[in-house]
Amino acid sequence: MRIDSHQHFWNYNRKNFTWIDDSMQVIRKDFTPPMLKIILDENNIDGCVAIQTAQTEEETNFLLAYAAEYDFIKGVVGWVDLQSDDVEQRLIYYKQFPLLKGLRHIVQGEDDPVFLQRPAFKNGISLLQKMNYTYDILIYPHQLKMAIDFVADFPEQKFVLDHLAKPYIKTKMIEEWKKDLLKLAAFENVSCKISGLVNETDWKNYTPQDIFPYIETALEAFGINRVMFGSDWPVCLVAADYTMVLNIVEEVFKSFSIEEQDNFFGNNATKFYNLNTK
């Protein structure tokens, strides 16, 4: 089964989506499951994992309601305040929703250079493994060193790095990012999503060849069994449509065995998120 491990749904309004600036007008509208289902069918993708964009429990509930209604949404990565005093009670509450597979915090937006080392946040993370929740790491390249120290403290927790930490593809900066990515990948409980890369290019002036070295680095770092496909739809639309995103990664993986392709395009995400693909 082919799985898109990273995409979003939202009902757009300016107040809650201030990050969508004038250069991103193409995504200033609603994006719903029926819209995505057409695209997935066209591209032979069987299911997806819906990822939070807002840091509220209302967002988590919004995505869980969609997942309950549309069976092609195989899982949800939501948000709970991992720094709150009642975090354990909130996590226990959400165990009644088996489609909630993991949590995410938008660390890329945090100004604190040691955010991931905050005791309250680490306390929240410490509760995830015993409750069988994954954690999506959303950061920029300059935060990779912080993430390396962070994951070292939780050797049993399942982590996945979103978007390869958003490397600087537009400026072709790769060496420092590569060095840090290799260090992060040394922790075998960390996987990564090959996703969101078109968004890091010069949107109007790039080629797939600009992106290939970053995908190849991810494969060198994590190997074939700890990487997974994600479209980052609809955010990807600022630079490419869904099929273009898929074609870029398919070009890299066409020389791989069928088993390896199956792992990347579905099996790894299914195992990582414990998805029910029946």
Side-chain angles (χ1 to χ4, degrees), residues 258-276:
I258 297 299
E259 180 182 1
E260 290 170 331
Q261 292 183 47
D262 287 346
N263 287 345
F264 172 70
F265 284 107
N267 293 342
N268 294 344
T270 298
K271 180 179 179 181
F272 180 84
Y273 285 121
N274 190 29
L275 305 180
N276 182 355

Side-chain angles (χ1 to χ4, degrees), residues 53-64:
T53 56
Q55 302 200 131
T56 65
E57 286 193 9
E58 287 78 11
E59 168 83 349
T60 304
N61 299 338
F62 166 74
L63 295 176
L64 286 170

Side-chain angles (χ1 to χ4, degrees), residues 193-209:
K193 294 179 183 178
I194 296 180
S195 60
L197 298 181
V198 295
N199 303 334
E200 306 311 315
T201 66
D202 179 347
W203 299 342
K204 305 299 183 183
N205 185 32
Y206 74 93
T207 68
Q209 286 71 28

Side-chain angles (χ1 to χ4, degrees), residues 139-152:
I139 55 174
Y140 288 129
H142 74 272
Q143 296 170 311
L144 273 167
K145 291 180 175 63
M146 175 174 60
I148 292 164
D149 293 337
F150 170 66
V151 302

Side-chain angles (χ1 to χ4, degrees), residues 101-121:
K101 303 300 182 178
L103 284 300
R104 186 173 84 152
H105 186 89
I106 303 176
V107 178
Q108 69 175 29
E110 297 288 348
D111 294 329
D112 184 352
V114 291
F115 177 86
L116 290 175
Q117 292 301 323
R118 288 183 178 181
F121 188 76

